[in-house]
Amino acid sequence: MKTTLDFLNMKETRDKITMITAYDYPSAKQVEQAGADMILVGDSLGMVVLGYDSTIKVTIDDMLHHAKAASRGAPDTFIVVDMPFMSYHISTEETLSNARLLYQASGAQALKLEGATDKTLQAIKALTDAGIPVVAHIGLTPQSVNVLGGFKVQGKDVESAKRLIKDATRLEEAGAIAVVLEGIPKRLSEEITQTIHIPTIGIGAGIHCDGQVLVYHDIIQYGADTFPKFVKNYASVDQPIKEGLKQFVSEVKSSQFPTDTHSYHSEQLEAYFEHKGEME
């Protein structure tokens, strides 16, 4: 398993960091087998696997349930778990309590917090002081989607770009081990990557980040028909899955399944039932 020091060294040597968002045992197992450097158990599971319209309804219990499963599937991969909406905004005491539960019980190696407000910076410092590594996340931050006015690219003008560069610097100073840059212009992510000393991991932020992250379901085109501009589908399993499920339904309806090949047999019982009438 890679460590936080390994990721810093990877930035120095320009060895790109690969992160894949996965939410359960089988997907995490496959991601580990693929050789990814990091797994993110993201609160995007709210939309991808729980059917919510945003990440806001996701709870600590949801995150813990999925993080435990992913950790069992990928025991040798560095796992980052999202702290969900309002779990690190009320007080330092509550932040530490929620973080302790997620970090200790999930088997994760780091937690991820969105934003760079004073409250978030305080939370990152408190968690770092407590010995919990933190990955930061700026740009398009889904937990703040209603404040941002929707899922829109951030940092497109000079003033907002300067603010994001400052935010990245402050996050590093607070103790973050890496920062996810989501939905920002390519040139801005290049500037941030060159400015700070911790790794940047991009999603919709261009080629110049120290690493890239995509969601497992988006990579293999599973469960969705439309995708953001920054997504590239590397496989397409959705249609074969649908076809297989339809064939199962059809074969059960037409009594083609199960056949004898898929059934258990007992010669003793077959002989008994064949001569049952005679014995009685």
Side-chain angles (χ1 to χ4, degrees), residues 38-250:
M38 287 184 179
I39 288 175
L40 171 62
V41 184
D43 59 359
S44 51
L45 67 87
M47 295 178 288
V48 178
V49 298
L50 299 182
Y52 298 144
D53 58 1
S54 74
T55 64
I56 291 172
K57 296 180 181 179
V58 177
T59 66
I60 285 282
D61 287 341
D62 291 331
M63 295 307 306
L64 185 57
H65 176 80
H66 286 269
K68 284 181 175 180
S71 295
R72 290 191 292 269
D76 297 320
T77 302
F78 190 99
I79 293 181
V80 182
V81 179
D82 268 338
M83 292 195 71
F85 180 71
M86 291 302 293
S87 65
Y88 52 96
H89 301 84
I90 297 173
S91 68
T92 300
E93 291 74 18
E94 185 167 339
T95 296
L96 288 170
S97 177
N98 289 331
R100 179 179 62 182
L101 176 62
L102 270 181
Y103 189 67
Q104 283 187 322
S106 69
Q109 283 67 55
L111 302 179
K112 183 166 78 64
L113 279 62
E114 291 186 8
T117 64
D118 289 342
K119 182 75 75 173
T120 303
L121 291 165
Q122 290 170 11
I124 292 173
K125 187 177 187 307
L127 294 178
T128 301
D129 288 345
I132 300 177
V134 177
V135 174
H137 181 163
I138 56 174
L140 173 54
T141 47
Q143 290 178 16
S144 304
V145 65
N146 291 326
V147 175
L148 298 175
F151 293 93
K152 298 179 179 180
V153 175
Q154 303 297 304
K156 294 175 70 175
D157 60 82
V158 174
E159 288 306 312
S160 60
K162 287 181 178 178
R163 185 166 60 251
L164 285 172
I165 295 169
K166 182 178 179 181
D167 285 346
T169 301
R170 295 172 72 202
L171 289 164
E172 179 181 8
E173 291 170 350
I177 64 166
V179 57
V180 171
L181 304 177
E182 180 172 357
I184 67 173
K186 174 182 173 182
R187 184 63 184 86
L188 175 56
S189 67
E190 181 180 16
E191 185 68 22
I192 293 174
T193 300
Q194 292 174 351
T195 299
I196 63 177
H197 301 92
I198 58 175
T200 59
I201 301 173
I203 177 166
I207 193 66
H208 298 296
C209 296
D210 297 306
Q212 297 292 328
V213 57
L214 282 180
V215 173
Y216 171 90
H217 295 66
D218 291 346
I219 291 172
I220 63 171
Q221 197 172 344
Y222 171 37
D225 299 315
T226 59
F227 303 90
K229 175 182 179 179
F230 57 77
V231 168
K232 179 177 179 180
N233 302 127
Y234 288 83
S236 181
V237 304
D238 207 55
Q239 192 57 37
I241 289 173
K242 291 177 183 176
E243 290 172 359
L245 296 174
K246 286 180 181 178
Q247 187 172 352
F248 166 74
V249 171
S250 175

